[in-house]
Amino acid sequence: MTLTQAGIFAILSMTALLFIWGRWRHDLVALGALIACILAGLVKPGDAFSGFGNPAVITVASVLILSFALQTTGVVDTLTARVLPSSSGSTVSIIALSALAAGLSAFMNNVGALALLMPIAIKTAGRLGVAPGRVLMPVSFASILGGMTTLTGTPPNLIVAGFSGEAGSTGFTMFDFAPVGLAVTAGGLLLIAIGWRLVPARERADLTSFETAPYIIEARIKQDSSIIGQSLRDIEYQLDTTDAQIVGLLRDDRRISAPSPYREVRSGDVLVIEADPKAIGDALSKLGLSLDTIEKAEEEKREEKENAENSGKEEKETQQESRLQSGDVILMELAVRPNALLLGLTIKLIELRREFGVNLIALSRDGKESMARLNSTPIRSGDVLLVQGNPDSILEFANRYGCVPLAERPLKIPNTRKAFLAAAIMVLAVAGAAFGLLPAAITFAAGVLAVAVFKVVPLRKLYEPIDWPVIVLLGALIPVAGAMSTTGAADLLAQGLITASGGANPVYTMIILLIVTMTLSDFMNNAATAAVMCPIALGAAAQLGVNPDTYLMAVAVGASCAFLTPIGHQNNALILGPGGFRFGDYWRLGLPMEIVVICAATPMLLWVWPL
């Protein structure tokens, strides 16, 4: 092993560990890996940002915009309303919803497809009388499977296609992934039909909603409260009949974690209560408390009104009050999407009530860690927010900051003409790529231009749907993957892979390559996994003298199939809160799914892409 090979191995090992640790965002880790390679002399400074000009990066960004056009114009809502059965049994309903998710994911971003179908899945679970997670997990898995069937269905396919072209072959076209992808998807849907009951049922009394971890709420003790002077122990006795417990105390804006049960409460104290959503009202009424967020909102309204009178801001104040008072004020639960604009921000920082006329009532998060004040708690992926406000204001906030409303949404088609245009543009872009009229990056970029010219999407929102962390991830890792090839590190790893497979058996090597890629993808971003494994696949194919496209296609399948953990794929993270899942719940259906993928993909790879 040379010094340069040792250097790239060290950087990649640290990068993989940081990906799995998950403390820092994937794009920042990838950018750090790129800078490290430049400092180590493994990537030339002039080539540092060449990855951002890669066709895969342009295609991913373009597909995200076109997918957004399909969502906002109501195309998917119309298709869903016409395709899904309304009165079928559990298995038929789950299969129909899963098949629709797979079909949509073939041509649009799979996270967007899942976000659109989640409210329908939750409603279906309520109608069927099953735990919401038993519908959400099959739909999530099916959307992941469906992305494997086309070039643009998922970023790993685009990355693999790029490596195929660089390896000297003709490269993969739009539907070259379909034979293997469809076989794997069919096998996965068959497993869902007979195995959806493997998903843990996190039951709750009200199945018309969904299960989450208990909410953390803050309740302020008023001056006339009957519990002033009582100990926390006495107060908890009064909560015995409710599904709630006191987990903290806030006094003078100072948090007292694990307070003594004998501590007496005072007027103005804020009790931090952990409660089931249905028990919130019962707990508050039993103790005569009010939600601190509502109290704060009322205080802010009074202060703003006074300030407006002194500074001439009456108009803005009137607008905010009208937002709070117009229409029905409702409670709605919102799931925070992976890579949402809201991640890492706090409700206080974005001024939720001032900007949208919406109050944060409670927050549900997997696990039971001690948190700071609700308004100053950084939001994480998978959190579920309970908010209060006008429906339109809540949806405006959700759309801007990347949250999914977990409630039935009415069918809305803002403009029939725009819906038709969005569908037509997507069909033409797909057809152009499928028939090889132009490279995929060009056809989909032309589609984005058409969307802008015909104003299918407002120009100010044209770039909002682009998942910039993924774009940075791809642009940074492509030169790093190139360094694996130029240093010979990929060939060294390929030799180890061949040795592990028993020598020179290309079929065993392909299977091990598929399994290793799939395992990495369960803990790493799928695009990062594909970028790391493609050079190894090419090295193994060259040493064995076999068709490199076979091994690259195995990487494409493996990188897309992350079913064992909630961190392997964005869709798995998105259903974590709404499904009430724990980290260890995914493998029960995920492990059989990965076995089915291996069994279905192996013969199809050897048949369609012979060695």
Side-chain angles (χ1 to χ4, degrees), residues 22 53 109 162 182 229 287 352 422 475 487 545 570:
N109 175 257
L182 287 174
L287 299 178
L352 178 63
T487 60
Q570 292 178 330

Side-chain angles (χ1 to χ4, degrees), residues 336-519:
V336 181
R337 293 178 56 169
N339 294 324
L341 184 61
L342 190 60
L343 295 186
L345 301 179
T346 66
I347 297 302
K348 181 178 180 180
L349 182 63
I350 65 173
E351 298 185 321
L352 178 63
R353 201 204 71 79
R354 183 188 299 273
E355 293 297 324
F356 299 95
V358 174
N359 294 318
L360 174 67
I361 302 299
L363 182 148
S364 175
R365 175 172 293 171
D366 184 51
K368 297 183 179 181
E369 63 181 275
S370 175
M371 292 189 291
R373 298 299 301 272
L374 285 180
N375 282 341
S376 58
T377 299
I379 303 300
R380 296 181 184 175
S381 172
D383 282 352
V384 179
L385 312 178
L386 180 64
V387 296
Q388 178 201 48
N390 178 273
D392 291 337
S393 298
I394 293 175
L395 292 179
E396 181 185 350
F397 160 68
N399 290 334
R400 184 182 300 184
Y401 281 97
C403 299
V404 179
L406 297 177
E408 179 182 1
R409 294 176 301 175
L411 176 62
K412 291 184 180 179
I413 303 180
N415 188 308
T416 304
R417 173 180 168 273
K418 288 185 177 181
F420 175 79
L421 281 173
I425 290 170
M426 177 62 89
V427 169
L428 290 175
V430 170
F435 292 108
L437 301 179
L438 288 170
I442 303 299
T443 59
F444 284 98
V448 171
L449 179 62
V451 164
V453 169
F454 291 106
K455 298 182 179 179
V456 178
V457 174
L459 291 180
R460 70 180 186 278
K461 294 185 176 181
L462 188 64
Y463 299 112
E464 282 187 10
I466 296 179
D467 195 344
W468 292 109
V470 171
I471 299 301
V472 174
L473 171 80
L474 293 176
L477 278 187
I478 288 173
V480 175
M484 289 182 64
S485 298
T486 57
T487 60
D491 292 335
L492 195 62
L493 287 176
Q495 183 59 50
L497 187 69
I498 294 171
T499 302
S501 64
N505 190 315
V507 176
Y508 290 162
T509 301
M510 184 195 73
I511 295 173
I512 290 180
L513 182 67
L514 173 60
I515 294 173
V516 170
T517 305
M518 193 179 296
T519 302

Side-chain angles (χ1 to χ4, degrees), residues 31-84:
L31 194 59
L34 175 60
I35 298 300
C37 285
I38 294 171
L39 294 177
L42 303 174
V43 173
K44 296 179 180 179
D47 297 332
F49 301 109
S50 60
F52 290 95
N54 190 285
V57 177
I58 305 301
T59 306
V60 168
S62 300
V63 169
L64 289 173
I65 294 175
L66 295 180
S67 297
F68 181 69
L70 294 178
Q71 297 174 40
T72 56
T73 56
V75 174
V76 178
D77 286 330
T78 302
L79 181 63
T80 300
R82 294 183 178 180
V83 171
L84 292 180

